[in-house]
Amino acid sequence: MEERRINVVVNEEPKSVDVEPRLLLAHFLREVLGLTGTHIGCDTTNCGVCTVLVDGLPMKSCTMFAVMVDGKSVTTVEGLGLPSELHPIQEGFREEHGLQCGFCTPGMMMASKALLEENPNPTEEDIRWGLSGNLCRCTGYQNIVKSVLWAAEKLRSEAGAISR
Amino acid sequence: MYPSRFHYEAPRSLDEAFGVLQAYGDEAKILAGGQSLIPLIKLRFAAPACIVDINNIPGLDFHEEDSDGSLNIGALCRHRTLERSPLLRSKYPTMSATAPLIADPMVRNRGTLVGSVCHADPQGDWASVMLAMGGEIIARRADGSERAIPVSQFVVGPFQNALAQGEIAVRARVPAARGTRTGTYLKLERRVGDFATVGLAVALEVSGGTINRAGLALTGVGPNNIQCTAAEQSLAGKSLNASTIEQAARLAAEAAQPKTDVRGSAEYKRHVVYTFVTRALSNRQASAA
Ligand SMILES: Cc1cc2nc3c(=O)[nH]c(=O)nc-3n(C[C@H](O)[C@H](O)[C@H](O)COP(=O)(O)OP(=O)(O)OC[C@H]3O[C@@H](n4cnc5c(N)ncnc54)[C@H](O)[C@@H]3O)c2cc1C
Ligand code: FES
Ligand code: FES
């Protein structure tokens, strides 16, 4: 069986692992590294629950091979914040009830992270457009949008506090 | 589902890539954005013995105008870049209207225009845009020689392109315009991010209110993207008015070969083509005058 050594930084920790080329990034994260926050919800690249950041951009980890992130950095929901120290996006989802079953939530939050980095002051329309690749089977979109607006405001006020 | 096993190569130069293509012959498959190929591999509709990942080859991620006024789009230029491109926004309205309508933000972060045209999916949006703009694909061989294949000849059937074994599509090229470009891309989808129920690319090259060149192509209403040659010819040399618009819309609707499926009836789709052409050309009337 052919394996290749990949060097990848996952949630700021360098990893060096031998993987089979056919191993999907989503399976690598969940089964090899035990980071089960990244979910898998479809076989057709449609649902977005597997979204992680690769060098800062959101990508569907079910539609990349792990060998393709050799030399790159990957951020999963586990790297977003800690239970004791939530990221403002995580706080927003808690405050505004942005989750019901929670299955889509990690993907929603990772897509939101990239969205807010590019556009710190989004309109509701910007958020709906930016999250259009993430499906919520509980259909809780209204509160998901509110959560991201909440997080945007918090992040802006934090940035303001730092620059002052 | 788990993909079946394959050998993986990530060449660091085109020369290395050609070496792998030579060694593996028709068992090798090029991987660009992977947003069409990997879903097929996961469902085991495709099971290549060797994957040649071109993402580490420098010099393919660009889009720029040449000194002769043609636009070149490298094999690793992502939908994302085209969506945000100031160059496209100012000078290529048809392309700039298309990019945000391809798939969803995550797919756009990886997928490429050249990969999309190579994939030759009858529902791919970029091939229609390239047809309407008279675009071509530049194929390169191991000896460094290149040939330009007009997209009208490049897409030879559903999921089939005209590349010969061992060739790599290194860039797409859109020739310089005769006049100012106007145009747009209209796409009817069941929900945001879906493939087209009907897509229409309109690309006009206009000076002083006269259309020097008209490009019209359709997505999702035939076994391949359809170039509406009769409608294009009816507009060339004319200006836009109610009667030229009506004639073009009728000819485009006649050129469509829609099938009834989950996205709608054949009759409905043909009607949408008529409506889209009317709408796209009416919106452009002011700017073309
Ligand atoms: C959920 C989803 C929704 C989508 N919606 C749309 C949509 O609305 N409209 C649309 O147009 N597309 C859509 N797509 C497809 C998407 O645009 C793909 O990015 C595109 O079709 C393929 O580009 P790629 O770079 O990902 O190519 P890949 O998947 O890497 O390759 C596709 C094919 O082209 C070949 N190929 C790629 N590059 C080259 C090259 N340089 N030389 C020779 N051969 C090459 C490959 O071998 C393969 O056969 C969607 C995809 C998904 C997953
Ligand atoms: S698991 Fe559905 S898009 Fe990745
Ligand atoms: S909260 Fe259940 S899928 Fe979104």
Side-chain angles (χ1 to χ4, degrees):
Chain A
M1 190 174 72
E2 176 185 333
E3 289 205 333
R4 280 176 79 103
R5 169 70 48 94
I6 58 166
N7 294 297
V8 52
V9 176
V10 180
N11 300 333
E12 294 179 1
E13 260 184 64
K15 308 271 179 194
S16 187
V17 189
D18 292 328
V19 297
E20 243 197 295
R22 65 168 169 165
L23 184 70
L24 296 170
L25 177 57
H27 289 140
F28 171 72
L29 295 168
R30 291 177 55 82
E31 290 159 22
V32 179
L33 301 185
L35 297 170
T36 53
T38 300
H39 294 166
I40 297 174
C42 72
D43 263 337
T44 51
T45 313
N46 273 297
C47 74
V49 303
C50 60
T51 303
V52 300
L53 304 183
V54 177
D55 286 347
L57 290 184
M59 295 187 181
K60 293 178 178 176
S61 63
C62 72
T63 309
M64 286 182 83
F65 297 113
V67 282
M68 297 170 74
V69 298
D70 184 25
K72 301 196 182 299
S73 94
V74 175
T75 311
T76 69
V77 69
E78 289 89 345
L80 195 57
L82 296 169
S84 57
E85 206 181 319
L86 293 181
H87 186 279
I89 293 172
Q90 294 169 314
E91 274 186 274
F93 274 71
R94 187 182 61 192
E95 292 304 317
E96 297 290 344
H97 307 284
L99 61 151
Q100 294 175 54
C101 76
F103 192 71
C104 68
T105 316
M108 287 286 178
M109 295 198 296
M110 299 319 284
S112 302
K113 173 127 200 302
L115 166 76
L116 294 179
E117 263 160 32
E118 189 174 4
N119 179 3
N121 196 2
T123 61
E124 174 176 340
E125 175 74 14
D126 294 337
I127 295 172
R128 288 187 185 274
W129 191 247
L131 296 182
S132 60
N134 297 82
L135 305 185
C136 174
R137 260 209 95 175
C138 301
T139 70
Y141 297 105
Q142 199 63 36
N143 285 352
I144 291 170
V145 172
K146 282 191 202 158
S147 306
V148 180
L149 283 169
W150 190 99
E153 198 176 319
K154 168 110 192 232
L155 285 163
R156 282 199 308 275
S157 71
E158 282 181 5
I162 293 167
S163 65
R164 240 178 275 131
Chain B
M1 213 149 98
Y2 291 87
S4 52
R5 292 206 169 88
F6 54 81
H7 173 65
Y8 173 82
E9 293 278 354
R12 303 247 155 208
S13 68
L14 278 173
D15 279 346
E16 265 183 54
F18 284 117
V20 182
L21 289 182
Q22 243 150 18
Y24 282 84
D26 63 3
E27 301 272 21
K29 201 86 181 119
I30 291 171
L31 175 86
Q35 300 303 291
S36 290
L37 183 58
I38 298 177
L40 290 178
I41 292 177
K42 286 204 308 180
L43 295 169
R44 298 203 178 192
F45 290 143
C50 174
I51 285 190
V52 189
D53 177 357
I54 61 171
N55 284 281
N56 297 301
I57 301 177
L60 295 177
D61 182 5
F62 65 89
H63 72 290
E64 65 198 12
E65 273 183 346
D66 238 336
S67 51
D68 68 359
S70 66
L71 174 70
N72 286 275
I73 303 125
L76 287 178
C77 180
R78 319 271 172 189
H79 308 313
R80 172 194 176 83
T81 309
L82 299 173
E83 182 183 1
R84 289 163 176 74
S85 163
L87 173 64
L88 296 199
R89 210 168 297 143
S90 66
K91 289 178 72 178
Y92 297 86
T94 310
M95 294 182 72
S96 135
T98 311
L101 299 179
I102 308 272
D104 60 54
M106 278 83 76
V107 172
R108 290 199 292 276
N109 282 346
R110 283 211 68 76
T112 65
L113 178 147
V114 171
S116 168
V117 179
C118 286
H119 191 54
D121 184 334
Q123 276 177 306
D125 296 299
W126 283 124
S128 291
V129 173
M130 287 292 119
L131 281 176
M133 300 184 78
E136 50 196 24
I137 293 290
I138 312 297
R140 195 181 164 100
R141 305 192 185 93
D143 63 7
S145 64
E146 292 184 347
R147 63 175 179 131
I149 312 163
V151 172
S152 53
Q153 291 160 35
F154 183 81
V155 175
V156 292
F159 305 102
Q160 278 180 304
N161 65 46
L163 287 175
Q165 204 183 90
E167 279 182 328
I168 297 177
V170 284
R171 62 185 189 279
R173 181 175 172 276
V174 175
R178 289 184 283 145
T180 306
R181 290 182 192 281
T182 68
T184 191
Y185 192 75
L186 297 179
K187 182 173 174 179
L188 178 70
E189 35 186 27
R190 291 176 301 177
R191 52 169 177 76
V192 64
D194 192 17
F195 284 95
T197 301
V198 177
L200 166 73
V202 173
L204 306 182
E205 298 167 18
V206 183
S207 46
T210 304
I211 300 168
N212 302 322
R213 185 187 171 281
L216 273 84
L218 305 174
T219 314
V221 288
N224 273 116
N225 308 75
I226 294 173
Q227 184 161 13
C228 306
T229 320
E232 293 177 348
Q233 282 165 359
S234 79
L235 290 169
K238 307 265 175 55
S239 60
L240 290 176
N241 57 50
S243 94
T244 53
I245 291 175
E246 204 280 332
Q247 188 183 25
R250 198 167 32 77
L251 291 170
E254 279 169 18
Q257 304 164 35
K259 279 213 166 71
T260 297
D261 63 14
V262 288
R263 289 186 168 85
S265 71
E267 199 189 346
Y268 168 67
K269 293 180 193 177
R270 196 184 293 282
H271 184 71
V272 173
V273 171
Y274 181 89
T275 306
F276 270 6
V277 175
T278 310
R279 195 178 289 169
L281 293 179
S282 305
N283 282 345
R284 293 273 108 38
Q285 241 174 316
S287 56

